[in-house]
Amino acid sequence: MTDAVASDRNPLLAEWSAPFGLPPFADIETWHYEPAFDTALAQARQAVDAIAANPDAPSFANTIEAMELSGSELTRVASVFFNLSGSHTSDELQRIEREMAPRLARHSSETLLNQALFARVAALWEKRGELGLDEEQARVLERYHRMFTRAGAGLDDAGRARMAEISQRLAVLGTQFSQNVLADEAGYQLLLESEADLAGLPPFLRQAAAEAASERGHPGKHVITLSRSLIEPFLQFSTRRDLREIAFNAWSARGEAEGDTDNRAVIAEILTLRDERAKLLGFDSFAAYKLDDTMAGTPQAVRELLETVWSPAAAQARKEAEALQRLATENGDNIALAPWDWRFYAEKLRSRDHALDEAELKPYFQLENMIQAAFHTAGRLFGLSFREVEGVALYHPDVRAFEVLDADGAHVGLFLGDYFNRSTKRSGAWMSAFRRQEKLAGNIRPIIVNVMNFAKAPKGEPALLTFDDARTLFHEFGHALHGLLSDVTYPMISGTSVSRDFVELPSQLYEHWLSEPEILTRFALHVETGEPMPAELMERVLAARNFNQGFATVEYLASALFDLDVHTREAGGAIDVAALERETLTRIGMPGEITMRHRPTHFAHVFSGDGYSAGYYSYMWSEVMDADAFTAFEETGDIFNAELARRLREAIYSAGGRQDPKEAYVAFRGALPDAGPLLKKRGFA
């Protein structure tokens, strides 16, 4: 079949004529993906080979810009496929994902290890000072040269061959890891059949569990799944300690049960291959390799930050554990506090000490209002407005589309919101793109998606969020703005294509506005009365911001330190993942009442791909900056200060990877931050 015929019959390859350049979701069938990948890979390979074989002397235009323009079909097909494989998957999509992972890795290796192509890039790098490049072009050339060298282009024949094998195998293993976790999450349900099973559950949770049961073929009953929007409130409110233990252990053991979804051997092989790859490139460890291209720079710099925060956090967590144990004893519960008890007694303690409970708060956090709060904040800071678009075909009925307009009415991009959990969606929350902003191939406007896992309300009723849910919505919308406001020429540095320990700054900084009285007064409206949250309740909410902060920090830091430990360890011998976990937890003195936020076998950030591997610390690294950055607004007395917001947009949200992250932060703030504001924010100073 010729490319022309294939494009004619395959909507993924045909010109996308849907409004805003959306993918033709209504026309795409699962069987379209494989032939689309076949055609797109062939086209991309042909384009790359032509660049490498160009007889003309290398120039920025015929090498770097040509690379940036190559593979556009492959990018389009992959963006649709991988967005849907995460947010609305199926057995067939997962099969295709398993088959495509090594093929895509092979294509990447064949490109980045191509000696003729690397020679052209290296020649440009050697004479970069003579090319008359502007700031953005110089940055793009630097990123290309670094990308090729870090892929192994400078190795000998045997080294390059081995790097290609490792990349392909890691792609297979990362896919297997994520699919195993999804299978465990989708396959588990705690069926609550009697009123006794529902003891302690507030109405909002009963409704959500009833909706989950109906979706899973148990109408009239209640089901708790492993979605955070169900499992966490169940652990908060259920008075059935036996059921809390069952649910918690299922949640904690994802990817760990013996059988087809066991991730322990997968992790062992991933760690071995990552270490080999780093050694081939001359690094002492995989962490040293990964961190060489970050703000942190070295494993030691990361460890110093994490351990600076660990000591006060662990001390606070132990005090919190003592308080929860006392409360349990006072209540006549003859127990030793366990991980499945923490959230239950913490909720009681919060209710007692701060006169707060989730059932009182949740009616004030309607999903629709929180969406509008996030939009309003973007309007105040950056002059953006959002217009919901009806009647466009999207990939699931729950997904919503909003056109984003600038202050002058110009089209900025399209934002998609996919808010509710379902069994075809992996857990967690994330931002992704169906199309990224660039100017090289024309004025390409972005199509950005936020994917959440909030509990769906019964039909006809508004969805309610916890305060943490609302914070997650703001966090991911901060990422979305990073993609939407991107204003660069080259795809290589568009939007969130920045250092891993810088990428969380725009998202974590955006969370701060949710907690501001100005936003809460306007958007935290009671679902039944429409009345704003009373000032007295708001004061209690804000006063309790650091409640349970020891617990939250410890469970995060334990995961971050484990990630660092396993990627700096001395390699050799068989890898026992459980033993590695115990080693980290023993070394840091992990409180026994708390578990890691992400235990190894479901630590998707680290093992489903290279994204946050040796980089889970990034959230805290960025938090040092976000605490300092919001302080800048507070110091002016105006959390929407126009001049600061302008600098924030220009230096951070719109700049993509145009400059070094440290330079970008200094351009906004005037200086680099220290950890002081972070410790104060978390209540440790």
Side-chain angles (χ1 to χ4, degrees):
M1 183 182 292
T2 67
D3 286 349
V5 174
S7 298
D8 234 13
R9 298 179 180 176
N10 194 320
L12 286 160
L13 299 173
E15 182 180 353
W16 292 359
S17 57
F20 306 102
L22 274 164
F25 292 116
D27 300 327
I28 298 171
E29 302 287 349
T30 302
W31 63 267
H32 286 134
Y33 287 110
E34 286 179 286
F37 270 122
D38 290 342
T39 299
L41 278 166
Q43 290 176 348
R45 175 55 41 217
Q46 184 179 25
V48 168
D49 290 346
I51 297 167
N54 189 339
D56 296 337
S59 68
F60 189 83
N62 71 19
T63 302
I64 302 302
E65 287 189 346
M67 285 291 295
E68 286 285 81
L69 291 167
S70 69
S72 57
E73 289 281 10
L74 181 57
T75 299
R76 288 204 311 166
V77 173
S79 70
V80 177
F81 177 79
F82 286 106
N83 271 301
L84 267 62
S85 70
S87 60
H88 193 40
T89 194
S90 65
D91 290 344
E92 183 64 6
L93 279 182
Q94 291 190 341
R95 179 194 66 78
I96 297 170
E97 186 177 16
R98 290 192 296 272
E99 293 187 4
M100 289 311 306
R103 289 185 62 192
L104 291 168
R106 183 164 59 249
H107 170 74
S108 178
S109 293
E110 288 172 353
T111 300
L112 296 176
L113 300 177
N114 183 308
Q115 290 300 280
L117 187 57
F118 178 53
R120 298 179 71 85
V121 174
L124 292 171
W125 179 248
E126 285 299 316
K127 60 178 183 179
R128 58 192 179 278
E130 307 165 21
L131 300 177
L133 304 179
D134 63 26
E135 178 190 34
E136 189 172 328
Q137 291 171 328
R139 180 68 171 171
V140 170
L141 175 57
E142 184 271 330
R143 297 313 301 165
Y144 262 92
H145 184 258
R146 183 173 280 262
M147 180 173 66
F148 273 84
T149 56
R150 286 173 64 81
L155 300 176
D156 60 19
D157 290 349
R160 292 196 305 275
R162 182 57 183 153
M163 285 291 283
E165 292 172 354
I166 290 172
S167 295
Q168 290 170 48
R169 181 59 181 161
L170 283 172
V172 171
L173 292 168
T175 299
Q176 183 181 348
F177 182 96
S178 60
Q179 290 190 359
N180 286 347
V181 175
L182 179 59
D184 278 4
E185 290 172 348
Y188 181 82
Q189 55 184 25
L190 178 63
L191 186 61
L192 307 177
E193 302 193 69
S194 67
E195 185 61 30
D197 293 343
L198 297 168
L201 305 190
F204 79 82
L205 184 52
R206 290 183 177 221
Q207 290 177 350
E211 187 74 15
S214 179
E215 290 177 357
R216 286 159 179 76
H218 302 288
K221 295 184 180 179
H222 299 78
V223 158
I224 299 299
T225 71
L226 297 183
S227 167
R228 279 187 181 269
S229 60
L230 283 172
I231 186 74
E232 287 199 333
F234 180 77
L235 294 171
Q236 278 180 286
F237 291 107
S238 175
T239 57
R240 286 285 300 275
R241 190 175 191 241
D242 57 332
L243 296 182
R244 295 203 309 268
E245 182 177 4
I246 291 169
F248 181 89
N249 286 336
W251 190 33
S252 181
R254 288 168 289 160
E256 196 174 43
E258 292 183 2
D260 292 341
T261 62
D262 191 341
N263 271 332
R264 286 171 290 190
V266 176
I267 294 171
E269 189 175 355
I270 287 173
L271 291 174
T272 299
L273 291 173
R274 284 176 176 171
D275 185 73
E276 183 182 356
R277 181 168 67 180
K279 297 290 174 50
L280 281 168
L281 292 170
F283 291 92
D284 291 338
S285 66
F286 179 77
Y289 157 74
K290 267 306 280 291
L291 296 170
D292 184 60
D293 192 30
T294 64
M295 288 185 75
T298 66
Q300 185 56 35
V302 171
R303 194 173 295 282
E304 287 174 2
L305 171 65
L306 297 180
E307 293 187 351
T308 294
V309 183
W310 172 262
S311 294
Q316 179 62 30
R318 292 186 184 97
K319 291 179 184 176
E320 291 169 1
E322 291 170 2
L324 297 183
Q325 183 65 67
R326 282 196 302 273
L327 179 61
T329 302
E330 290 167 5
N331 286 354
D333 301 333
N334 185 25
I335 65 161
L337 191 71
W340 47 89
D341 298 316
W342 190 291
R343 289 169 177 82
F344 177 74
Y345 289 103
E347 180 65 21
K348 288 184 173 297
L349 190 64
R350 185 172 72 150
S351 179
R352 187 192 75 182
D353 291 357
H354 296 280
L356 284 177
D357 67 72
E358 203 66 70
E360 179 186 17
L361 281 179
K362 203 160 185 179
Y364 288 98
F365 291 96
Q366 298 175 61
L367 171 60
E368 185 60 36
N369 285 1
M370 293 303 103
I371 293 170
Q372 295 306 317
F375 290 172
H376 172 82
T377 300
R380 293 288 304 278
L381 287 170
F382 306 126
L384 301 180
S385 59
F386 299 81
R387 180 181 66 85
E388 186 153 17
V389 180
E390 306 284 357
V392 293
L394 300 170
Y395 62 87
H396 189 276
D398 286 343
V399 183
R400 299 166 66 183
F402 301 86
E403 184 183 11
V404 186
L405 302 171
D406 219 334
D408 60 1
H411 175 74
V412 171
L414 195 69
F415 171 70
L416 306 183
D418 182 356
Y419 295 107
F420 299 119
N421 67 55
R422 51 181 173 266
S423 61
T424 58
K425 182 189 289 187
R426 65 179 170 87
S427 63
W430 63 93
M431 166 270 192
S432 187
F434 283 97
R435 187 176 67 209
R436 294 167 61 185
Q437 180 272 332
E438 60 155 301
K439 298 176 185 174
L440 188 62
N443 186 22
I444 308 301
R445 305 314 306 163
I447 300 175
I448 302 298
V449 60
N450 273 174
V451 184
M452 314 286 180
N453 270 283
F454 301 144
K456 196 171 185 179
K459 190 172 182 178
E461 297 186 25
L464 302 179
L465 307 182
T466 66
F467 190 54
D468 282 345
D469 287 339
R471 188 160 39 231
T472 296
L473 186 149
F474 264 67
H475 178 100
E476 296 305 334
F477 193 68
H479 280 309
L481 289 172
H482 200 184
L484 287 163
L485 291 174
S486 178
D487 186 21
V488 300
T489 299
Y490 297 96
M492 165 64 80
I493 56 171
S494 176
T496 56
S497 300
V498 298
S499 172
R500 180 62 66 183
D501 50 12
F502 190 72
V503 77
E504 296 299 333
L505 170 60
S507 55
Q508 293 180 181
L509 173 58
Y510 206 72
E511 293 178 34
H512 287 264
W513 276 275
L514 171 65
S515 299
E516 288 299 306
E518 184 173 344
I519 296 299
L520 290 174
T521 299
R522 180 165 182 162
F523 293 98
L525 307 178
H526 196 279
V527 65
E528 294 176 359
T529 67
E531 292 295 314
M533 181 182 289
E536 180 268 335
L537 175 57
M538 191 181 304
E539 288 173 8
R540 285 186 275 138
V541 170
L542 298 179
R545 276 184 290 191
N546 285 326
F547 175 77
N548 214 34
Q549 193 60 243
F551 167 85
T553 307
V554 160
E555 65 162 8
Y556 162 76
L557 284 175
S559 293
L561 285 163
F562 169 83
D563 173 36
L564 186 64
D565 285 353
V566 297
H567 289 114
T568 54
R569 79 191 205 293
E570 287 292 329
I575 294 175
D576 181 339
V577 174
L580 292 177
E581 181 183 11
R582 286 194 300 273
E583 285 174 19
T584 291
L585 299 184
T586 299
R587 180 181 63 78
I588 63 178
M590 182 74 165
E593 304 88 350
I594 306 175
T595 60
M596 295 164 63
R597 179 172 299 176
H598 304 288
R599 293 194 56 240
T601 53
H602 52 86
F603 203 168
H605 283 78
V606 169
F607 295 117
S608 67
D610 268 1
Y612 283 85
S613 55
Y616 193 61
Y617 77 92
S618 300
Y619 291 93
M620 185 149 285
W621 190 272
S622 290
E623 191 176 348
V624 172
M625 291 182 284
D626 82 62
D628 177 71
F630 194 72
T631 298
F633 281 92
E634 292 177 318
E635 287 171 349
T636 70
D638 178 6
I639 60 169
F640 294 107
N641 181 276
E643 172 57 21
L644 270 181
R646 181 192 63 78
R647 294 210 309 263
L648 182 64
R649 177 171 180 167
E650 291 181 0
I652 308 294
Y653 282 89
S654 296
R658 183 187 297 132
Q659 58 188 333
D660 178 87
K662 291 180 181 177
E663 295 173 4
Y665 190 81
V666 171
F668 162 66
R669 185 66 161 113
L672 289 172
D674 59 37
L678 177 148
L679 294 173
K680 182 179 179 182
K681 170 189 167 186
R682 287 187 173 246
F684 302 148

